[in-house]
Amino acid sequence: MSDGKKTLLVTGGSRGIGAAICRQAIGAGYRVAVNYVSNQAAADALVAELKAAGGDAFAVKGDVGSEADVIAMFEAVDRAFRRLDAFVNNAGIVDLKARVDEMSAERLERMMRVNVVGSFLCAREAVKRMSTRHGGKGGAIVNISSAAARLGSPGEYVDYAASKGAIDTMTMGLAREVALEGIRVNAVSPGITETEIHASGGQPDRVARMQDLLPMKRAGTADEVASAVLYLLSDAASYITGAILNVSGGR
Ligand code: NAP
């Protein structure tokens, strides 16, 4: 690819917030790699939509909680795009509502493997490609955290909240670690956002149930979160690194 277009990989890019990021990125002129883990139909449908809009995109399957999958995913991007300018650590899971005194080791290990270890492995691969220390040309990383990191999600999923606390800390540390290597690292911390993640956690009515408790009396949209991500990836945010931007309607 020699037309100078920037490239972006979004984990969990096929649905929800990730899909909104991919759509806006195509609009901003990026080539986009759309990662997913199991729902190939959703990934294929999004890629078809992005191509119909004149964009260059492809889907890449891989579980961010698997080191082999993460390495293969970044290698697929290397082959397709030959460069990586921007990366969004978006893939994340919740689990069924539970108290800490009910959580199994298996649940906790899955939560931390996908949300924390997965984000670290992907950040590692992105830094290896972007860092001037490794011969790269620099780049930008945005991690998707959650207001849960501040609120703790008592009675619902403290494990998830703690996994996002780790993402906030990783964002601050990695940002400083690579600040002289051409890479900016920031986080966007959404509040309750209308996506299918709530149904995945067994609470399809969560948005409707919670919205009256929110300062704006409504949940956010995936597009509202994506706008903040595209801003942090852009040169307009050239002096912003290590920031955690709340997109939570005041919550
Ligand atoms: P979503 O609608 O459930 O979509 C999840 C996406 O991640 C899908 O593309 C899914 O792929 C992919 N995915 C799930 N597990 C994966 C894995 N192990 N490896 C690779 N991809 C995986 O989720 P969302 O609501 O957009 O959430 C996106 C991010 O925002 C998450 O990090 C979440 O914690 C965070 N967040 C969401 C909210 C909210 O209220 N929605 C609030 C705060 C933070 P498949 O389609 O193949 O399953």
Side-chain angles (χ1 to χ4, degrees):
M1 304 295 168
S2 57
D3 60 5
K5 267 196 165 189
K6 286 194 170 184
T7 65
L8 166 69
L9 166 63
V10 182
T11 63
S14 57
R15 293 191 290 117
I17 291 168
I21 295 167
C22 291
R23 288 188 183 97
Q24 290 192 21
I26 288 290
Y30 288 88
R31 295 181 197 285
V32 177
V34 179
N35 160 250
Y36 69 101
V37 67
S38 58
N39 187 340
Q40 190 182 342
D44 287 347
L46 179 68
V47 167
E49 178 194 325
L50 299 177
K51 285 184 171 167
D56 185 357
F58 76 102
V60 54
K61 182 177 162 103
D63 178 354
V64 297
S66 152
E67 184 173 27
D69 282 13
V70 168
I71 291 170
M73 172 174 72
F74 277 84
E75 287 176 349
V77 176
D78 294 340
R79 284 193 299 275
F81 293 155
R82 311 259 163 227
R83 59 189 271 187
L84 184 67
D85 301 287
F87 171 67
V88 180
N89 244 332
N90 166 77
I93 54 167
V94 294
D95 208 321
L96 300 178
K97 193 171 163 169
R99 288 169 47 97
V100 171
D101 55 15
E102 299 165 335
M103 290 179 187
S104 66
E106 190 185 13
R107 167 183 171 132
L108 294 168
E109 280 165 7
R110 171 178 169 266
M111 181 65 65
M112 299 305 158
R113 181 171 49 77
V114 174
N115 289 7
V116 182
V117 178
S119 295
F120 267 87
L121 292 172
C122 290
R124 179 188 78 191
E125 294 305 309
V127 167
K128 280 188 192 170
R129 285 158 176 82
M130 294 173 174
S131 169
T132 53
R133 182 190 171 100
H134 295 289
K137 294 188 165 60
I141 296 174
V142 172
N143 299 318
I144 306 300
S145 179
S146 171
R150 287 183 281 115
L151 302 169
S153 305
E156 200 169 29
Y157 28 60
V158 175
D159 54 345
Y160 169 80
S163 78
K164 294 300 187 176
I167 295 304
D168 285 356
T169 305
M170 188 259 264
T171 300
M172 294 184 278
L174 182 61
R176 289 166 186 148
E177 195 166 287
V178 298
L180 274 180
E181 299 170 25
I183 308 176
R184 294 182 301 101
V185 184
N186 292 291
V188 165
S189 188
I192 296 178
T193 311
E194 286 178 39
T195 72
E196 293 165 351
I197 202 171
H198 311 291
S200 316
Q203 301 187 65
D205 62 339
R206 186 164 182 263
V207 170
R209 197 165 29 86
M210 301 277 290
Q211 59 190 8
D212 275 353
L213 305 173
L214 305 176
M216 290 189 182
K217 305 280 182 216
R218 69 169 180 89
T221 65
D223 258 327
E224 288 173 316
V225 178
S227 298
V229 173
L230 266 290
Y231 165 66
L232 288 172
L233 291 178
S234 78
D235 291 341
S238 55
Y239 198 54
I240 303 180
T241 196
I244 298 164
L245 178 54
N246 293 334
V247 183
S248 54
R251 187 168 188 236

